[in-house]
Amino acid sequence: MPELPPVLVREPVGPASPMVLDSPHSGMHWPRDFHPVASREAIHTTWDAYVEELWSEAPAAGATLLAATFPRAYVDVNRAEDDIDPDLLAEPWPTPLAPTTYSQRGMGLIRRLALPDVPMYAEPLRIAEVARRIEAYYRPYRRTLAERLDAVHARFGAVWHLDCHSMKSRGNAMNVDAGAARPDFVVSDRHGTTSDPAHTTWLAAWLRDRGHSVQVNTPYQGGDLVRTVGAPSAGRHSIQVEINRACYMDEVTFERGPRFDAMRATLGALVRDFAAYATAHASVHTAAHVRRPAPPPEQADSPPEVVP
Ligand SMILES: [Zn+2]
């Protein structure tokens, strides 16, 4: 069976909005060279199950939606490329590594642990194995995301990125909030450094208005994707959104739960409203910048497609 491409891209349907969403952890197509000793059940707990499906109404709201096809347990695109645990490797890595606390907790670029005390691999990995994961999966994913963000930014003068995840309803011993019950949503912008915090606040308030419990920047502050993408002073706003799995699935059987359709409808409405909000802000942003020639007086600052 041919391998799937590392990332699937769903294009906006109808008028585009200045939004790009990505779901980096919802893939479960195992590459041929993925041979963990951890059980499938253990590896499934690392899976942000159905997240790309929950956000599937985003293209109809004018957003581009990217989704990884491969498991995050194979290579995690939400980590820095050099966040590698040297203990995983059978040979020295050819360039300097910078393992972070993610690697220390067993969940760096390449996972050491599927769950606490559950190793991923029987023996250390060869350099060539890890290099292939980076070259054939990690970099194409990152490159595709960067290209889409750049294209939207070039067109609108600003871009809003939602990095879409799900979380266990309770952290385990590998998580920073081990044992704690989690709210329906955690939204984060690394304390206002990856997005204008006003946009993060807007998003959290929208969800709270629909009756959801929301925490901002706790226990998660945002991972490496929002860190890499976000540059609010350049009009690049990147917000991480974590959905509590208990809100939409059975965490034991991994099946969609009775509230799945309602959650998908909520997120569809959120993207539609956020698209309108972002489009209005992009117009202001574009008007405030002189990089583009001024539009003729009879036109709005927005691109023609978004003019009603
Ligand atoms: Zn995730």
Side-chain angles (χ1 to χ4, degrees):
M1 195 172 75
E3 299 213 338
L4 287 173
V7 52
L8 299 178
V9 180
R10 289 190 53 205
E11 307 290 351
V13 176
S17 64
M19 291 184 72
V20 175
L21 280 67
D22 86 307
S23 176
H25 292 160
S26 57
M28 254 303 160
H29 181 80
W30 286 32
R32 274 191 295 267
D33 62 354
F34 188 37
H35 304 296
V37 290
S39 69
R40 272 196 184 251
E41 290 69 31
I43 291 172
H44 265 71
T45 65
T46 72
W47 177 39
D48 291 356
Y50 314 119
V51 165
E52 86 289 351
E53 199 180 324
L54 287 172
W55 292 94
S56 59
E57 293 182 23
T64 305
L65 175 63
L66 281 68
T69 59
F70 54 93
R72 66 93 67 93
Y74 176 73
V75 62
D76 192 341
V77 292
N78 197 27
R79 301 288 182 259
E81 195 177 298
D82 56 6
D83 191 353
I84 297 176
D85 182 348
D87 288 348
L88 269 169
L89 303 173
E91 311 154 276
W93 194 252
T95 54
L97 294 176
T100 69
T101 54
Y102 287 127
S103 279
Q104 287 163 21
R105 287 187 275 127
M107 47 196 295
L109 181 84
I110 309 289
R111 285 180 87 96
R112 182 164 46 80
L113 301 172
L115 284 169
D117 303 319
V118 179
M120 282 290 298
Y121 303 102
E123 48 192 33
L125 301 174
R126 312 285 303 185
I127 296 294
E129 288 179 84
V130 175
R132 179 174 185 275
R133 298 182 190 194
I134 294 172
E135 280 161 24
Y137 291 86
Y138 180 96
R139 286 182 184 164
Y141 186 93
R142 287 282 186 122
R143 197 161 51 233
T144 303
L145 177 60
E147 285 167 1
R148 294 315 178 115
L149 291 162
D150 286 351
V152 170
H153 188 272
R155 178 171 172 188
F156 289 90
V159 61
W160 280 259
H161 169 232
L162 298 184
D163 183 39
C164 305
H165 296 262
S166 68
M167 57 187 173
K168 297 184 288 290
S169 55
R170 237 171 235 283
N172 67 30
M174 288 163 67
N175 300 125
V176 286
D177 61 333
R182 289 164 167 169
D184 294 349
F185 288 88
V186 175
V187 298
S188 51
D189 58 10
R190 296 183 75 106
H191 298 286
T193 60
T194 69
S195 170
D196 181 332
H199 306 322
T200 316
T201 301
W202 184 96
L203 185 61
W206 192 98
L207 289 165
R208 287 192 187 111
D209 285 350
R210 272 83 189 162
H212 287 291
S213 54
V214 185
Q215 288 174 196
V216 178
N217 286 316
T218 182
Y220 300 114
Q221 280 83 53
D224 199 68
L225 279 165
V226 297
R227 185 189 70 79
T228 310
V229 169
S233 61
R236 293 172 180 268
H237 304 283
S238 183
I239 300 169
Q240 181 173 302
V241 181
E242 297 268 2
I243 311 168
N244 189 323
R245 291 179 194 159
C247 292
Y248 71 88
M249 65 180 275
D250 184 315
E251 293 183 90
V252 176
T253 64
F254 302 103
E255 286 170 0
R256 295 169 188 79
R259 291 188 286 162
F260 188 91
D261 289 342
M263 179 58 81
R264 182 167 55 187
T266 296
L267 298 177
L270 170 60
V271 181
R272 284 192 292 280
D273 286 357
F274 199 99
Y277 170 88
T279 301
H281 278 77
S283 302
V284 172
H285 207 279
T286 307
H289 284 69
V290 290
R291 289 188 300 107
R292 290 181 169 195
E298 68 272 18
Q299 283 185 12
D301 286 326
S302 313
E305 289 89 334
V306 297
V307 176

Coordinates of all heavy atoms in Angstrom, one line a residue, residues 72-141:
R72 N 1.9 11.3 15.8 CA 2.9 12.2 16.5 C 3.9 11.4 17.2 O 5.0 11.8 17.6 CB 2.2 13.2 17.3 CG 1.4 12.7 18.5 CD 2.2 12.6 19.8 NE 2.5 13.9 20.4 CZ 1.8 14.5 21.2 NH1 0.6 14.0 21.6 NH2 2.2 15.7 21.7
A73 N 3.5 10.1 17.5 CA 4.4 9.2 18.2 C 5.6 8.8 17.3 O 6.6 8.3 17.8 CB 3.7 8.0 18.7
Y74 N 5.5 9.0 16.0 CA 6.5 8.6 15.0 C 7.5 9.8 14.9 O 8.7 9.6 15.1 CB 5.9 8.4 13.7 CG 6.8 8.1 12.5 CD1 7.5 6.9 12.4 CD2 6.9 9.0 11.5 CE1 8.3 6.6 11.3 CE2 7.7 8.8 10.4 CZ 8.4 7.6 10.3 OH 9.2 7.3 9.2
V75 N 7.0 11.0 14.7 CA 7.9 12.2 14.8 C 6.9 13.3 15.1 O 5.8 13.4 14.5 CB 8.7 12.5 13.5 CG1 7.8 12.7 12.3 CG2 9.6 13.6 13.7
D76 N 7.3 14.2 16.1 CA 6.3 15.2 16.5 C 6.7 16.5 15.9 O 7.7 17.2 16.3 CB 6.4 15.2 18.1 CG 5.2 16.1 18.7 OD1 4.6 16.9 17.9 OD2 5.0 15.9 19.9
V77 N 5.8 17.0 15.0 CA 6.1 18.3 14.4 C 5.9 19.5 15.3 O 6.2 20.6 14.9 CB 5.2 18.5 13.1 CG1 5.6 17.5 12.0 CG2 3.7 18.4 13.4
N78 N 5.3 19.2 16.5 CA 5.2 20.3 17.5 C 6.4 20.4 18.4 O 6.3 20.8 19.6 CB 3.9 20.2 18.2 CG 3.5 21.4 18.9 OD1 3.8 22.5 18.5 ND2 2.7 21.3 20.0
R79 N 7.5 19.9 17.9 CA 8.8 20.0 18.7 C 9.8 20.7 17.8 O 9.7 20.5 16.6 CB 9.3 18.6 19.1 CG 8.3 17.9 20.0 CD 8.2 18.4 21.4 NE 7.3 17.6 22.2 CZ 6.1 18.0 22.5 NH1 5.6 19.1 22.0 NH2 5.3 17.2 23.3
A80 N 10.9 21.3 18.4 CA 12.0 21.8 17.6 C 12.7 20.6 17.0 O 12.8 19.5 17.6 CB 12.9 22.6 18.5
E81 N 13.3 20.8 15.9 CA 14.0 19.7 15.1 C 15.1 19.1 15.9 O 15.5 17.9 15.7 CB 14.5 20.2 13.8 CG 14.8 19.2 12.8 CD 15.2 19.7 11.4 OE1 14.4 20.4 10.8 OE2 16.4 19.5 11.0
D82 N 15.8 19.9 16.8 CA 16.9 19.4 17.6 C 16.5 19.0 19.0 O 17.4 18.8 19.8 CB 18.1 20.4 17.6 CG 17.6 21.8 18.1 OD1 16.5 21.9 18.6 OD2 18.4 22.7 18.1
D83 N 15.2 18.9 19.3 CA 14.7 18.5 20.6 C 14.7 16.9 20.7 O 13.7 16.3 20.7 CB 13.3 19.1 20.9 CG 12.9 18.9 22.3 OD1 13.6 18.2 23.1 OD2 11.9 19.5 22.7
I84 N 15.9 16.4 20.6 CA 16.1 14.9 20.5 C 16.8 14.4 21.7 O 17.9 15.0 22.1 CB 16.9 14.5 19.2 CG1 16.1 14.9 17.9 CG2 17.2 13.0 19.2 CD1 16.9 14.7 16.6
D85 N 16.3 13.4 22.3 CA 16.9 12.7 23.5 C 18.1 11.9 23.0 O 17.9 10.9 22.3 CB 15.8 11.9 24.2 CG 16.3 11.2 25.4 OD1 17.6 11.2 25.7 OD2 15.5 10.7 26.2
P86 N 19.3 12.2 23.4 CA 20.5 11.4 22.9 C 20.4 9.9 23.3 O 20.9 9.1 22.7 CB 21.7 12.1 23.4 CG 21.2 13.1 24.4 CD 19.8 13.3 24.2
D87 N 19.7 9.7 24.4 CA 19.6 8.3 24.9 C 18.7 7.4 24.0 O 18.8 6.2 24.1 CB 18.9 8.2 26.3 CG 19.8 8.8 27.4 OD1 21.0 8.9 27.1 OD2 19.3 9.0 28.5
L88 N 18.0 8.0 23.0 CA 17.2 7.2 22.1 C 18.1 6.7 21.0 O 17.6 5.9 20.2 CB 16.2 8.2 21.4 CG 14.8 8.3 22.0 CD1 14.1 9.5 21.3 CD2 14.0 7.0 21.8
L89 N 19.3 7.3 20.8 CA 20.0 7.0 19.6 C 21.1 6.0 19.8 O 21.8 5.9 20.8 CB 20.7 8.4 19.1 CG 19.7 9.5 18.9 CD1 20.5 10.8 18.6 CD2 18.8 9.2 17.8
A90 N 21.3 5.2 18.7 CA 22.4 4.1 18.8 C 23.7 4.7 18.4 O 24.7 4.1 18.7 CB 22.0 3.0 17.7
E91 N 23.7 5.9 17.8 CA 25.0 6.5 17.4 C 24.9 8.0 17.8 O 23.8 8.5 17.9 CB 25.1 6.4 15.9 CG 24.8 5.0 15.3 CD 24.3 5.1 13.9 OE1 23.1 5.3 13.7 OE2 25.2 4.9 13.0
P92 N 26.1 8.7 17.8 CA 26.0 10.1 18.1 C 25.4 10.9 16.9 O 25.6 10.6 15.8 CB 27.5 10.5 18.2 CG 28.3 9.3 18.2 CD 27.4 8.2 17.7
W93 N 24.5 11.9 17.3 CA 23.9 12.7 16.2 C 25.0 13.6 15.6 O 25.9 14.1 16.4 CB 22.8 13.6 16.9 CG 21.9 14.2 15.9 CD1 21.8 15.5 15.6 CD2 20.8 13.6 15.1 NE1 20.8 15.8 14.7 CE2 20.2 14.6 14.4 CE3 20.4 12.3 15.0 CZ2 19.2 14.3 13.5 CZ3 19.4 12.0 14.1 CH2 18.8 13.0 13.4
P94 N 25.0 13.8 14.3 CA 26.1 14.5 13.7 C 26.2 16.0 14.0 O 27.3 16.6 13.8 CB 25.8 14.3 12.2 CG 24.4 13.9 12.1 CD 24.0 13.3 13.3
T95 N 25.1 16.6 14.5 CA 25.2 18.1 14.8 C 24.7 18.2 16.3 O 24.1 17.3 16.9 CB 24.2 18.9 13.9 OG1 22.9 18.3 14.0 CG2 24.7 18.9 12.5
P96 N 25.0 19.4 16.9 CA 24.6 19.6 18.3 C 23.1 19.4 18.5 O 22.3 19.9 17.7 CB 25.1 21.0 18.7 CG 26.1 21.3 17.6 CD 25.7 20.6 16.4
L97 N 22.7 18.8 19.6 CA 21.3 18.6 20.0 C 20.9 19.6 21.1 O 21.8 20.1 21.8 CB 21.0 17.2 20.4 CG 21.1 16.1 19.4 CD1 20.9 14.7 20.0 CD2 20.2 16.4 18.2
A98 N 19.6 19.9 21.2 CA 19.2 20.8 22.2 C 17.9 20.2 22.9 O 16.8 20.8 22.8 CB 18.9 22.2 21.7
P99 N 18.1 19.1 23.6 CA 16.9 18.5 24.2 C 16.3 19.4 25.3 O 17.0 20.0 26.1 CB 17.4 17.2 24.8 CG 18.9 17.3 24.9 CD 19.3 18.3 23.8
T100 N 15.0 19.5 25.2 CA 14.2 20.4 26.2 C 13.6 19.5 27.3 O 13.8 18.3 27.3 CB 13.1 21.2 25.5 OG1 12.1 20.2 25.1 CG2 13.7 21.9 24.3
T101 N 12.8 20.1 28.1 CA 12.1 19.3 29.1 C 11.1 18.3 28.5 O 10.8 17.3 29.1 CB 11.3 20.3 30.0 OG1 10.4 21.1 29.2 CG2 12.2 21.1 30.9
Y102 N 10.7 18.6 27.2 CA 9.8 17.6 26.5 C 10.6 16.3 26.4 O 10.1 15.2 26.7 CB 9.4 18.1 25.1 CG 8.4 19.2 25.1 CD1 8.7 20.3 24.3 CD2 7.1 19.0 25.6 CE1 7.7 21.3 24.2 CE2 6.2 20.0 25.5 CZ 6.5 21.2 24.8 OH 5.6 22.2 24.7
S103 N 11.9 16.4 25.9 CA 12.7 15.2 25.8 C 12.9 14.5 27.1 O 12.9 13.3 27.3 CB 14.0 15.5 25.1 OG 13.9 15.6 23.7
Q104 N 13.1 15.4 28.2 CA 13.4 14.8 29.5 C 12.2 14.0 30.0 O 12.3 13.0 30.7 CB 13.7 16.0 30.5 CG 15.1 16.5 30.3 CD 15.3 17.9 31.0 OE1 14.5 18.2 31.9 NE2 16.2 18.7 30.5
R105 N 11.0 14.5 29.6 CA 9.7 13.8 30.0 C 9.4 12.6 29.1 O 8.3 12.0 29.2 CB 8.6 14.8 30.1 CG 8.7 15.7 31.3 CD 7.5 16.6 31.5 NE 7.5 17.8 30.7 CZ 6.5 18.2 29.9 NH1 5.5 17.4 29.8 NH2 6.6 19.3 29.2
G106 N 10.3 12.4 28.1 CA 10.1 11.2 27.2 C 9.2 11.5 26.0 O 8.8 10.6 25.2
M107 N 9.0 12.8 25.7 CA 8.1 13.2 24.6 C 8.7 14.3 23.8 O 8.0 15.3 23.5 CB 6.7 13.6 25.1 CG 6.7 14.5 26.3 SD 5.1 14.5 27.2 CE 4.0 15.2 26.0
G108 N 9.9 14.1 23.4 CA 10.6 15.1 22.5 C 10.2 14.8 21.0 O 9.1 14.3 20.7
L109 N 11.1 15.3 20.1 CA 10.8 15.1 18.7 C 10.5 13.6 18.4 O 9.5 13.3 17.6 CB 12.0 15.5 17.9 CG 11.9 15.4 16.4 CD1 11.2 16.7 15.8 CD2 13.2 15.2 15.7
I110 N 11.2 12.7 18.9 CA 11.0 11.3 18.8 C 10.7 10.8 20.2 O 11.5 11.0 21.1 CB 12.2 10.5 18.3 CG1 12.8 11.2 17.0 CG2 11.9 9.1 18.1 CD1 11.9 11.0 15.8
R111 N 9.5 10.2 20.4 CA 9.1 9.8 21.8 C 10.0 8.7 22.3 O 10.2 7.7 21.6 CB 7.7 9.4 21.9 CG 6.7 10.6 21.8 CD 5.3 10.1 21.8 NE 4.8 10.0 23.2 CZ 4.1 10.9 23.8 NH1 3.8 12.0 23.2 NH2 3.7 10.7 25.0
R112 N 10.4 8.8 23.6 CA 11.0 7.7 24.3 C 10.0 6.9 25.0 O 10.1 5.6 25.1 CB 12.0 8.3 25.3 CG 12.8 7.3 26.1 CD 14.1 7.9 26.7 NE 13.8 9.2 27.4 CZ 13.2 9.2 28.6 NH1 13.0 8.2 29.3 NH2 13.0 10.4 29.2
L113 N 8.9 7.5 25.5 CA 7.9 6.8 26.2 C 6.5 7.0 25.5 O 6.2 8.1 25.1 CB 7.8 7.4 27.6 CG 9.1 7.3 28.5 CD1 8.9 8.0 29.8 CD2 9.4 5.8 28.8
A114 N 5.7 5.9 25.5 CA 4.3 6.1 25.0 C 3.5 6.6 26.2 O 2.6 7.4 26.0 CB 3.8 4.8 24.5
L115 N 3.7 6.0 27.3 CA 3.0 6.4 28.6 C 4.1 6.3 29.7 O 5.2 5.8 29.4 CB 1.9 5.4 28.9 CG 0.6 5.5 28.1 CD1 -0.3 4.3 28.3 CD2 -0.1 6.8 28.5
P116 N 3.8 6.8 30.9 CA 4.8 6.7 31.9 C 5.3 5.2 32.1 O 4.4 4.3 32.2 CB 4.1 7.2 33.2 CG 3.1 8.2 32.6 CD 2.7 7.6 31.3
D117 N 6.6 5.0 32.1 CA 7.1 3.6 32.2 C 6.8 2.7 31.1 O 7.0 1.5 31.2 CB 6.7 3.0 33.6 CG 7.1 3.8 34.7 OD1 8.2 4.4 34.7 OD2 6.3 4.0 35.7
V118 N 6.3 3.2 29.9 CA 6.0 2.3 28.8 C 6.9 2.8 27.6 O 6.6 3.8 26.9 CB 4.6 2.4 28.3 CG1 4.3 1.6 27.1 CG2 3.6 2.0 29.5
P119 N 8.1 2.1 27.4 CA 9.0 2.6 26.4 C 8.4 2.4 25.0 O 7.6 1.5 24.7 CB 10.2 1.7 26.5 CG 10.0 0.8 27.7 CD 8.6 1.0 28.1
M120 N 8.8 3.3 24.1 CA 8.3 3.2 22.7 C 9.1 2.1 21.9 O 8.5 1.4 21.1 CB 8.6 4.5 22.0 CG 7.6 5.6 22.3 SD 5.9 5.3 21.6 CE 6.3 5.3 19.8
Y121 N 10.4 2.0 22.2 CA 11.2 1.1 21.3 C 12.0 0.1 22.1 O 12.4 0.4 23.3 CB 12.2 2.0 20.5 CG 11.5 3.0 19.6 CD1 11.4 4.4 20.1 CD2 10.8 2.7 18.5 CE1 10.7 5.3 19.3 CE2 10.1 3.6 17.8 CZ 10.0 4.9 18.2 OH 9.3 5.9 17.5
A122 N 12.3 -1.0 21.5 CA 13.0 -2.1 22.2 C 14.5 -1.7 22.2 O 15.2 -2.1 23.2 CB 12.9 -3.4 21.4
E123 N 15.0 -1.0 21.3 CA 16.4 -0.7 21.2 C 16.6 0.7 20.6 O 15.7 1.3 20.0 CB 17.2 -1.7 20.5 CG 16.6 -2.1 19.1 CD 17.3 -3.3 18.5 OE1 17.7 -4.2 19.3 OE2 17.4 -3.4 17.3
P124 N 17.8 1.3 20.8 CA 18.0 2.7 20.3 C 17.9 2.7 18.8 O 18.1 1.7 18.1 CB 19.5 3.0 20.7 CG 19.7 2.1 21.9 CD 18.9 0.8 21.6
L125 N 17.5 3.9 18.3 CA 17.3 4.1 16.8 C 18.6 4.5 16.1 O 19.4 5.2 16.7 CB 16.2 5.2 16.6 CG 14.9 4.9 17.3 CD1 13.9 6.1 17.1 CD2 14.2 3.7 16.7
R126 N 18.7 4.1 14.9 CA 19.8 4.5 14.1 C 19.6 6.0 13.6 O 18.5 6.4 13.4 CB 19.9 3.6 12.8 CG 19.9 2.1 13.0 CD 21.1 1.5 13.7 NE 22.3 1.8 12.9 CZ 23.5 1.3 13.1 NH1 23.7 0.5 14.2 NH2 24.5 1.6 12.4
I127 N 20.7 6.6 13.4 CA 20.7 8.0 12.9 C 19.8 8.1 11.6 O 19.0 9.0 11.4 CB 22.1 8.5 12.6 CG1 22.9 8.6 13.9 CG2 22.1 9.9 11.9 CD1 22.4 9.6 14.9
A128 N 20.1 7.1 10.7 CA 19.4 7.2 9.4 C 17.8 7.1 9.6 O 17.1 7.7 8.8 CB 19.9 6.0 8.5
E129 N 17.4 6.3 10.6 CA 15.9 6.2 10.8 C 15.3 7.5 11.2 O 14.3 7.9 10.8 CB 15.7 5.2 12.0 CG 15.9 3.7 11.6 CD 15.7 2.9 12.9 OE1 14.5 2.5 13.1 OE2 16.6 2.6 13.6
V130 N 16.0 8.1 12.2 CA 15.5 9.4 12.7 C 15.6 10.5 11.6 O 14.7 11.3 11.4 CB 16.3 9.8 14.0 CG1 15.8 11.2 14.4 CG2 16.1 8.8 15.1
A131 N 16.7 10.5 10.8 CA 16.9 11.5 9.8 C 15.8 11.3 8.7 O 15.3 12.3 8.2 CB 18.2 11.3 9.1
R132 N 15.4 10.1 8.5 CA 14.3 9.9 7.5 C 13.0 10.5 8.0 O 12.2 11.1 7.2 CB 14.1 8.4 7.1 CG 13.0 8.2 6.1 CD 12.8 6.8 5.6 NE 11.8 6.8 4.6 CZ 10.5 6.7 4.9 NH1 10.1 6.6 6.1 NH2 9.6 6.7 3.9
R133 N 12.7 10.3 9.2 CA 11.5 10.9 9.8 C 11.5 12.4 9.7 O 10.4 13.0 9.4 CB 11.3 10.5 11.3 CG 11.2 9.0 11.4 CD 11.0 8.6 12.9 NE 11.1 7.2 13.1 CZ 10.8 6.5 14.1 NH1 10.2 7.1 15.1 NH2 10.9 5.2 14.2
I134 N 12.6 13.0 9.9 CA 12.7 14.5 9.8 C 12.6 14.9 8.3 O 11.8 15.8 8.0 CB 14.0 15.0 10.4 CG1 14.1 14.7 11.9 CG2 14.3 16.4 10.0 CD1 15.4 15.0 12.5
E135 N 13.3 14.3 7.4 CA 13.3 14.7 6.0 C 12.0 14.4 5.3 O 11.5 15.2 4.4 CB 14.5 14.1 5.3 CG 15.8 14.8 5.6 CD 17.0 14.0 5.3 OE1 16.9 13.1 4.5 OE2 18.1 14.3 5.9
A136 N 11.4 13.2 5.6 CA 10.2 12.8 4.8 C 8.9 13.2 5.4 O 7.9 13.2 4.8 CB 10.3 11.3 4.6
Y137 N 8.9 13.6 6.7 CA 7.6 13.9 7.4 C 7.7 15.3 8.1 O 6.9 16.1 7.8 CB 7.3 12.8 8.4 CG 6.9 11.5 7.7 CD1 7.9 10.6 7.4 CD2 5.6 11.2 7.4 CE1 7.6 9.4 6.7 CE2 5.3 10.0 6.7 CZ 6.3 9.2 6.4 OH 6.0 8.0 5.7
Y138 N 8.6 15.5 9.0 CA 8.7 16.7 9.8 C 8.9 17.9 8.9 O 8.1 18.9 8.9 CB 9.8 16.6 10.8 CG 10.0 17.8 11.7 CD1 9.5 17.8 13.0 CD2 10.8 18.9 11.3 CE1 9.6 18.9 13.8 CE2 11.0 20.0 12.1 CZ 10.4 20.0 13.4 OH 10.6 21.1 14.2
R139 N 9.9 17.9 8.0 CA 10.1 19.1 7.2 C 9.1 19.4 6.2 O 8.7 20.5 6.0 CB 11.5 19.0 6.6 CG 12.6 19.2 7.6 CD 14.0 19.2 6.9 NE 15.1 19.3 7.9 CZ 16.3 19.0 7.7 NH1 16.7 18.5 6.5 NH2 17.2 19.1 8.7
P140 N 8.6 18.4 5.5 CA 7.5 18.7 4.6 C 6.2 19.3 5.3 O 5.6 20.2 4.7 CB 7.1 17.3 3.9 CG 8.4 16.6 4.0 CD 9.0 17.0 5.3
Y141 N 5.9 18.8 6.5 CA 4.8 19.3 7.2 C 5.1 20.8 7.5 O 4.2 21.7 7.3 CB 4.5 18.5 8.5 CG 3.3 19.0 9.2 CD1 2.1 18.4 9.0 CD2 3.3 20.1 10.1 CE1 0.9 18.8 9.6 CE2 2.2 20.5 10.7 CZ 1.0 19.8 10.5 OH -0.2 20.3 11.1

